[in-house]
Amino acid sequence: MDRRLSRRDALKLAAVGTGTLLAGGLRFGAPNAQAGPLVAGIVKDLPGGALIPRGTNAEMNWGSMAGIDYLTPVDRFFVRNHTATTFVNPATWRLEVFGTGLRGRPERGKGKLFSLKDLEKLPRETRTVFVECAGNARSYFGSQEGKAAPGTTWGLGAIGVAQWTGVSLREVLERAGLRPDAVDVMPEGLDSTVLAADGTDQGHVRRPIPIAKALDDTLIALEMNGRDLPFDHGAPARVIVPGYVGIANIKWVGAIEVANHALFSPWNTTQYRLVGPTYPADQPPLTTQPLKSAFEVAPGRTFKAGVPVQLRGRSWSGTSRPRSVRVSTDGGATWTGAPTHGPNLENGWLRWTVDWTPTTTGPTALLAQATDRSGHQQPDHVPFNRDGYLYDGIVRLPVTVTP
């Protein structure tokens, strides 16, 4: 059953107001016997085996991507919420653009307002872009580097590539009266405010991006894979910042501050920075995602000795497109090049395959290492950082060969 909610469904739901799903998901229609568990704070079902619950989040199971074309289906697209999925009435939703970087320097509450209908009248743009949590692959700091980092223990599945359709942020900023001295742009979400560990209210999730990036390829997305945005992915509108860490892609966007000076929030000062013994104290906030690779294989899968199989995988980067991939099926003892196929889109991913006939029974590990167009390769090891961000090392995927 398709759990993506149409704008009509959204209007029905939002008739009770704007709020947050705090306990359990929300189902429309008849129960689905194939559906997986509901997760607190997430609307969509987790189809059996396709998404892995991670506390109040959900990780895409790479095994469920086998045979899937370029785009990640919505039912397999990971969910990362700082609080919980929020539902917003699209009929009353407004986007306010304000700040010292606009003509007249309007304060909050006096800025330019855009309704959903206003945005739908603007020129449409479509971009195929990955969204990836900065903590994707965090678990490998513990399992491969010997020092676990706190936070959601993502494998490699906090990533998805979708086709996003909406209006360019440039178009919206210019219509709001952008000044030439604008420096930073800070979108802000409508989800519940975030409480720090000490109980401090940090406000709504928000994070600045440089004006150059805002005017380049940043999108206010209204659709995902040709359908209205689902609630879990930011309906009725979200920001897509190609190549940047997931936190920059604000869901349920309701306000955008434009300033003629640098902007700050907890998500670019105390969080989303690399803090550790090998990093300088003045390390800048995280921006682009590094090079990674993943097999379309679930960890722990078994293969039968003597039976040929074609292994598939994908590599991606927010800095320079992948150029080539090599793989190992024997734990890194030997390597072979993996033929690539299909599109290699900027801020998308590159697919690859390798034919393998297992011969030796017992446990082994599959490894993949990509090289990008600048010549950078995925490293063997990654220096530890306090929050487990940006793990880009060669991942050892455990599998077993049976007689």
Side-chain angles (χ1 to χ4, degrees):
M1 181 175 178
D2 189 351
R3 298 296 178 183
R4 290 175 290 186
L5 304 186
S6 69
R7 206 154 280 160
R8 181 179 300 173
D9 288 332
L11 285 166
K12 291 179 183 177
L13 175 60
V16 300
T18 298
T20 300
L21 301 174
L22 294 176
L26 179 73
R27 295 181 191 267
F28 276 74
N32 180 3
Q34 302 302 315
L38 289 175
V39 170
I42 295 178
V43 170
K44 66 184 180 183
D45 292 331
L46 307 191
L51 287 170
I52 305 165
R54 298 288 186 201
T56 57
N57 304 307
E59 175 176 354
M60 181 262 287
N61 181 350
W62 271 103
S64 74
M65 287 296 290
I68 299 295
D69 204 359
Y70 197 82
L71 301 179
T72 306
V74 172
D75 66 355
R76 288 163 172 75
F77 209 99
F78 84 103
V79 179
R80 167 68 168 105
N81 289 336
H82 286 267
T83 54
T85 289
T86 294
F87 55 93
V88 179
N89 187 336
T92 58
W93 173 85
R94 296 294 183 270
L95 173 65
E96 182 184 11
V97 185
F98 69 96
T100 59
L102 300 178
R103 290 193 299 270
R105 302 186 178 185
E107 298 177 355
R108 189 177 193 128
K110 299 180 180 180
K112 173 73 171 178
L113 295 178
F114 295 86
S115 68
L116 193 59
K117 288 185 177 179
D118 291 333
L119 295 186
E120 289 174 337
K121 293 176 183 177
L122 299 180
R124 288 293 183 101
E125 294 190 9
T126 297
R127 303 190 190 283
T128 300
V129 172
F130 73 75
V131 173
E132 180 184 15
C133 180
N136 195 25
R138 177 182 285 124
S139 64
Y140 299 107
F141 279 107
S143 62
Q144 294 191 182
E145 309 297 339
K147 186 175 182 180
T152 302
T153 54
W154 301 109
L156 275 167
I159 170 76
V161 171
Q163 188 179 76
W164 310 95
T165 299
V167 301
S168 73
L169 182 54
R170 172 190 283 272
E171 183 82 24
V172 170
L173 296 180
E174 289 179 346
R175 288 175 181 264
L178 183 67
R179 290 169 53 95
D181 61 350
V183 171
D184 272 357
V185 174
M186 184 154 65
E188 180 179 305
L190 290 171
D191 43 337
S192 299
T193 60
V194 178
L195 296 181
D198 62 2
T200 302
D201 191 330
Q202 297 181 312
H204 295 287
V205 177
R206 62 202 183 281
R207 194 174 197 261
I209 56 177
I211 188 65
K213 182 65 174 176
L215 298 179
D216 180 19
D217 56 0
T218 301
L219 192 70
I220 298 179
L222 309 177
E223 298 179 7
M224 178 182 184
N225 289 351
R227 298 283 298 274
D228 294 339
L229 278 176
F231 280 125
D232 291 308
H233 301 292
R238 71 172 299 170
V239 177
I240 295 294
V241 189
Y244 270 42
V245 290
I247 182 61
N249 299 265
I250 299 296
K251 297 194 284 187
W252 315 291
V253 61
I256 299 177
E257 181 177 2
V258 187
N260 62 357
H261 54 82
L263 292 171
F264 301 97
S265 81
W267 293 273
N268 76 324
T269 54
T270 58
Q271 302 173 48
Y272 293 93
R273 306 175 79 101
L274 295 178
V275 178
T278 63
Y279 299 100
D282 60 350
Q283 187 79 2
L286 304 183
T287 54
T288 53
Q289 289 280 15
L291 182 64
K292 295 190 181 80
S293 299
F295 285 90
E296 295 173 8
V297 175
R301 179 178 166 181
T302 59
F303 296 89
K304 192 170 182 61
V307 177
V309 63
Q310 184 177 73
L311 302 174
R312 300 179 181 182
R314 309 184 188 217
S315 299
W316 64 94
S317 172
T319 54
S320 177
R321 272 179 274 189
R323 183 185 69 199
S324 61
V325 181
R326 65 173 193 153
V327 303
S328 173
T329 57
D330 54 11
T334 61
W335 294 81
T336 185
T340 62
H341 63 93
N344 185 9
L345 302 179
E346 184 176 8
N347 300 313
W349 46 28
L350 176 64
R351 291 173 291 170
W352 40 267
T353 59
V354 64
D355 294 323
W356 178 41
T357 302
T359 56
T360 303
T361 59
T364 186
L366 307 179
L367 286 71
Q369 181 187 45
T371 301
D372 67 23
R373 293 187 175 186
S374 69
H376 171 73
Q377 286 187 320
Q378 291 181 253
D380 292 322
H381 298 285
V382 181
F384 178 81
N385 69 83
R386 180 193 64 191
D387 298 302
Y389 295 138
L390 304 191
Y391 190 92
D392 59 344
I394 302 172
V395 168
R396 301 178 62 88
L397 178 70
V399 297
T400 300
V401 179
T402 61

